[in-house]
Amino acid sequence: MGSPAPFTPARRPAPPLDGRAGATQPMAPAAHFADEFRNGRHSTKGTTGAYSGPFRFASTGTPATAARDQAFEAARTTLVRMLDGREPLHLGNAIEAMERPFLETTGTHASLGELLDQVAKVVRAHIASSGGDANDPLMVHWGIQALYRDTFVDPTTGRTWSPLRYDFDDPNGEEDIRKVTVGKLLLTGEGQCRSMPLLYLALAERLHAEAYLAFAPNHSFVKFRDGTGTFHNFETTNGRLASDAWLAGSGHVRAEGIKSRVYLDTVGTRRVVAHLLVELATYYAQRHGYAEPFMEQCLQRALKEYPQDIHGWMELSNLRTATFDRALWQAGQPALNDLERVRPDLAERLADLKALYGQVDRLGYAPMPPELYARWRSSVDAAKEERLRKALAQPLPPARIVR
């Protein structure tokens, strides 16, 4: 539940998960395939002219678009180099590289690495001031979780630390994609289920504690082990522990999704970095439109590393659905049931596309039932109203922006 809204001009599936506090979008919520092709329909506008169907493609050919694509390619290269062993595998650096094209920083703020170092110092100091050992992995988890749950005096500044909060204002980044970044979370103290779990993992990496990402439909959270080796789930959006049974029951998790290890399973650092490639492609499409070579390269490398990433398979199906629709347009819109005769090359692409849709289904994807969406939407509105009511009843708190 965090990340951009599903990007499918032809169909926008229900985005959220359910009524859990802080629930919104998946970490990298690539939309499911377009209904037009699943049901045998396709765009009927236009013929062989410039494509003007339901899918948006990235513009090119100007200095501005060249600079844009150079920034995205630099991010892709960094992530691929990490996965290929040509650069140290470092989650904090990977997040910073992936978010850089969206943040478009001008040097006003510290780098993400510097901000992470500052917050890691807060965690260490809070553990020490509470009588704990910052070298004990369990105490590290306690200290990181306190950032999401507790109000305490920051020993490094003497200021009050207020818990990180869920951001109800454009939580999916539909109006401003920077809203879903870890950088924005550190600068404002508010995020959602994309940025909040990633911050936890980046801090755990800096503090030498083992932690994993995990997914449920339209949601991501953190898994960590206690001293006996037992895994626990931490909900960063509300600062609480949650059981697998609760996550499965409340999150519309299909048995196929658990069996295929798409949902509720641990995702280690390498696969999180691979998932950042999926996000890079997804966010490019959402912000600028589809770009076949760049997105295809991101998604293919990500899925090679992390074949259970259903978000990657969904975004790949989105991309290939869009490029197939454009190819049909350029071919003069032949009927789908006549492709074998008139355009066997397009018939082969359509067969591949349907196989890709089947892959998504086999991994355990299921659209959210309308009643779950309505319940979630109602709970978010109620929580937002309750927070506003409490804020109006209290004096303004001191600013707690991390510098």
Side-chain angles (χ1 to χ4, degrees):
M1 312 182 192
S3 279
F7 183 82
T8 302
R11 177 170 80 90
R12 186 178 291 271
L17 177 94
D18 61 58
R20 81 162 57 98
T24 64
Q25 288 285 90
M27 178 181 174
H32 199 36
F33 51 83
D35 283 340
E36 281 71 8
F37 296 107
R38 184 180 180 89
N39 297 329
R41 305 189 301 273
H42 63 282
S43 175
T44 57
K45 302 176 182 177
T47 54
T48 57
Y51 178 77
S52 58
F55 299 96
R56 181 168 63 103
F57 289 87
S59 58
T60 58
T62 69
T65 59
R68 171 202 71 198
D69 290 347
Q70 185 178 10
F72 275 88
E73 180 59 24
R76 185 192 72 83
T77 299
T78 296
L79 299 178
V80 170
R81 285 178 62 85
M82 286 188 186
L83 293 177
D84 290 347
R86 292 178 289 156
E87 205 168 299
L89 187 70
H90 189 282
L91 183 57
N93 293 348
I95 295 169
E96 183 165 15
M98 183 268 165
E99 293 185 352
R100 190 174 294 122
F102 306 103
L103 291 174
E104 298 168 352
T105 54
T106 60
T108 303
H109 301 299
S111 70
L112 180 62
E114 291 171 327
L115 294 174
L116 288 170
D117 285 341
Q118 291 177 30
V119 179
K121 289 180 182 177
V122 174
V123 173
R124 288 192 190 97
H126 182 48
I127 293 172
S129 67
S130 302
D133 180 1
N135 294 315
D136 180 349
L138 281 182
M139 285 304 301
V140 169
H141 286 294
W142 174 87
I144 296 175
Q145 290 170 18
L147 302 176
Y148 298 83
R149 181 186 60 231
D150 300 335
T151 299
F152 59 89
V153 175
D154 174 2
T156 67
T157 65
R159 298 176 181 174
T160 299
W161 177 278
S162 299
L164 300 172
R165 303 196 308 171
Y166 184 77
D167 186 0
F168 292 104
D169 182 19
D170 190 25
N172 304 323
E174 293 178 283
E175 297 178 10
D176 184 353
I177 207 161
R178 292 172 295 182
K179 290 289 189 73
V180 304
T181 62
V182 175
K184 176 263 182 186
L185 167 61
L186 286 172
L187 289 168
T188 67
E190 294 189 344
Q192 28 32 50
C193 82
R194 182 217 177 239
S195 59
M196 298 177 90
L198 284 180
L199 172 60
Y200 190 117
L201 298 182
L203 291 172
E205 176 184 66
R206 270 171 161 70
L207 296 167
H208 310 293
E210 179 187 51
Y212 299 89
L213 189 68
F215 293 107
N218 302 338
H219 189 50
S220 63
F221 55 98
V222 170
K223 278 183 172 284
F224 69 98
R225 279 193 275 215
D226 63 21
T228 69
T230 302
F231 274 105
H232 299 275
N233 307 313
F234 183 71
E235 270 286 0
T236 57
T237 55
N238 61 23
R240 300 173 183 172
L241 297 177
S243 68
D244 279 349
W246 182 83
L247 287 162
S250 64
H252 191 57
V253 180
R254 292 173 57 189
E256 295 91 336
I258 298 175
K259 185 177 181 180
S260 64
R261 302 182 65 183
V262 166
Y263 298 127
L264 308 187
D265 198 18
T266 53
V267 181
T269 300
R270 286 188 62 84
R271 291 190 167 190
V272 174
V273 171
H275 185 75
L276 291 175
L277 277 170
V278 175
E279 290 192 319
L280 192 67
T282 301
Y283 294 155
Y284 185 104
Q286 178 172 321
R287 193 169 192 180
H288 304 294
Y290 288 105
E292 187 172 12
F294 170 76
M295 292 181 63
E296 188 82 24
Q297 290 170 354
C298 288
L299 296 168
Q300 289 288 358
R301 184 62 185 89
L303 291 169
K304 178 182 177 182
E305 186 69 39
Y306 183 13
Q308 291 83 18
D309 192 343
I310 196 169
H311 311 98
W313 290 109
M314 288 193 290
E315 193 56 54
L316 189 63
S317 74
N318 288 344
L319 173 64
R320 293 185 180 175
T321 295
T323 56
F324 179 72
D325 189 63
R326 183 172 62 178
L328 281 178
W329 186 289
Q330 294 168 344
Q333 293 291 46
L336 294 182
N337 57 12
D338 205 24
L339 288 181
E340 287 283 0
R341 181 179 63 83
V342 300
R343 288 294 302 269
D345 59 322
L346 291 180
E348 183 177 355
R349 285 181 65 174
L350 179 59
D352 291 343
L353 194 56
K354 290 180 177 178
L356 186 55
Y357 298 163
Q359 168 73 1
V360 173
D361 287 337
R362 285 190 297 274
L363 284 172
Y365 172 84
M368 176 174 291
E371 60 274 15
L372 277 183
Y373 174 72
R375 193 171 70 203
W376 171 84
R377 184 68 260 176
S378 177
S379 72
V380 167
D381 290 342
K384 185 175 182 180
E385 182 178 345
E386 175 67 12
R387 178 181 294 177
L388 179 60
R389 184 188 65 78
K390 289 182 178 179
L392 291 174
Q394 299 293 330
L396 290 176
R400 58 156 306 282
I401 294 177
V402 178
R403 294 294 186 186

